[in-house]
């Protein structure tokens, strides 16, 4: 195992956008929108969690380079009655890209939402049959040439 040697590459502007979705009960999403989640505002806390995760990516992903991030924006939003979508945009001027940082931001934001709403998602057996995190992916990456 090795961390890829990027010492021969020049620093250029790079940007990555990642996206993911959490499917919840429609009632849970309604509680989020009405500000009735006991733990607080999941969308607000998810933004912060996503930024923190992007900044810590090289500590979480073993062979990922630590990068000087110039911008991290995490945008959760309700997309229909039972889904919350999270879009993360990460920017840097570095020798390698920021896809992993964008994916980490989305993942942490979605996990935070789940953690904050899980009490509303449980069924009578204490399970989460309708709660699903899905479609976490890079939707765009850009490198200034």
């Amino acid at each position: 195992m090795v961390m890829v040697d990027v010492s021969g590459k020049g620093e250029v502007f790079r940007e990555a956008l990642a996206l993911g979705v959490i499917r919840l009960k429609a009632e849970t999403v309604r509680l989020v929108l009405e500000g009735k989640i006991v733990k607080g505002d999941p969308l607000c806390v998810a933004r912060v969690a996503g930024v923190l995760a992007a900044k810590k990516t090289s500590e979480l992903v073993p062979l990922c380079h630590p990068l000087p991030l110039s911008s991290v924006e995490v945008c959760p939003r309700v997309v229909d009655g039972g889904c919350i979508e999270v879009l993360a945009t990460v920017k840097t001027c570095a020798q390698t890209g920021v896809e992993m940082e964008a994916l980490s931001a989305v993942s942490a934001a979605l996990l935070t939402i789940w953690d904050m709403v899980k009490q509303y998602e449980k069924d009578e057996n204490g399970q989460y049959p309708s709660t699903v995190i899905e479609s976490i992916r890079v939707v765009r990456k850009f490198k200034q040439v």
Side-chain angles (χ1 to χ4, degrees), residues 31-96:
L31 293 171
V32 169
L33 292 172
E34 292 176 359
K36 294 183 178 177
I37 301 298
V38 172
K39 287 187 170 185
D41 181 351
L43 304 182
C44 181
V45 179
R47 284 184 192 94
V48 176
V51 170
L52 290 173
K55 292 166 60 175
K56 297 282 190 179
T57 299
S58 66
E59 295 176 32
L60 300 170
V61 181
L63 302 177
C64 189
H65 294 85
L67 297 175
L69 303 182
S70 54
S71 175
V72 179
E73 184 177 0
V74 179
C75 301
R77 68 184 182 111
V78 174
V79 291
D80 69 30
C83 288
I84 297 175
E85 174 185 270
V86 175
L87 177 69
T89 306
V90 182
K91 299 176 184 177
T92 190
C93 187
Q95 296 166 300
T96 188

Side-chain angles (χ1 to χ4, degrees), residues 21-30 33 77-85 121 130-132 134:
V21 173
I22 184 167
R23 295 194 179 280
L24 303 168
K25 295 178 184 175
E27 174 63 15
T28 303
V29 174
R30 185 183 64 74
L33 292 172
R77 68 184 182 111
V78 174
V79 291
D80 69 30
C83 288
I84 297 175
E85 174 185 270
E121 289 290 296
S130 61
T131 313
V132 179
E134 61 187 18

Side-chain angles (χ1 to χ4, degrees), residues 93-114:
C93 187
Q95 296 166 300
T96 188
V98 286
E99 299 87 25
M100 298 311 297
E101 288 76 7
L103 290 166
S104 293
V106 167
S107 299
L110 292 169
L111 289 170
T112 297
I113 292 167
W114 188 324

